[in-house]
Amino acid sequence: MHRISKEFHFSASHQLSHLAPDHQCARLHGHNYIVVVELAAAELNADGFVRDYHELAPLKAYIDGTFDHRHLNDVLPMASTAENMARHFFDWCRARWPEVTAVKVSETPKTWAEYRP
């Protein structure tokens, strides 16, 4: 199986107001997010790729236009946890590229969530 990954960055704020008031994530705060999309294929295409990295440009445009420097509570229909965001980005990508196998969302260098069906 051949696998490729591409990383995307954005900065945004969020607040998980359903948490206890003393929980740090219940307060308004922000992160420098990293989204990593993974694609896999048993066979390479005619150009020798799983998929040309250039073809993933629509994800960058989506992230930049919808999420970068925004308040995530205003743009996501669910709680803006890393877990929910990983699933959201996975579904968005899978609708365009069937080779997508996982999406990872990092909030900090030490914390991340991954959605892999």
Side-chain angles (χ1 to χ4, degrees):
M1 185 66 66
H2 300 274
R3 294 189 189 282
I4 64 167
S5 294
K6 185 160 179 154
E7 189 174 286
F8 303 86
H9 296 237
F10 71 99
S11 298
S13 66
H14 75 144
Q15 184 174 14
L16 301 176
S17 55
H18 64 280
L19 299 176
D22 61 336
H23 193 290
Q24 68 183 20
C25 291
R27 296 188 297 269
L28 178 62
H29 64 286
H31 297 287
N32 294 314
Y33 289 93
I34 299 173
V35 176
V36 179
V37 61
E38 177 188 278
L39 296 87
E43 301 294 327
L44 300 177
N45 67 20
D47 294 322
F49 299 133
V50 169
R51 180 166 291 275
D52 189 333
Y53 288 114
H54 179 73
E55 294 179 60
L56 302 179
L59 178 56
K60 178 171 177 21
Y62 176 60
I63 289 171
D64 289 350
T66 307
F67 298 94
D68 192 36
H69 287 83
R70 301 285 302 273
H71 183 56
L72 298 180
N73 298 59
D74 294 341
V75 296
L76 286 170
M78 75 291 268
S80 55
T81 64
E83 293 87 344
N84 282 335
M85 292 170 59
R87 176 64 187 263
H88 175 82
F89 287 122
F90 178 88
D91 291 344
W92 191 94
C93 290
R94 192 67 178 267
R96 288 151 182 84
W97 309 299
E99 307 90 350
V100 172
T101 55
V103 172
K104 182 168 97 171
V105 174
S106 299
E107 291 183 334
T108 73
K110 296 181 181 181
T111 61
W112 54 271
E114 181 178 63
Y115 182 77
R116 179 185 300 268

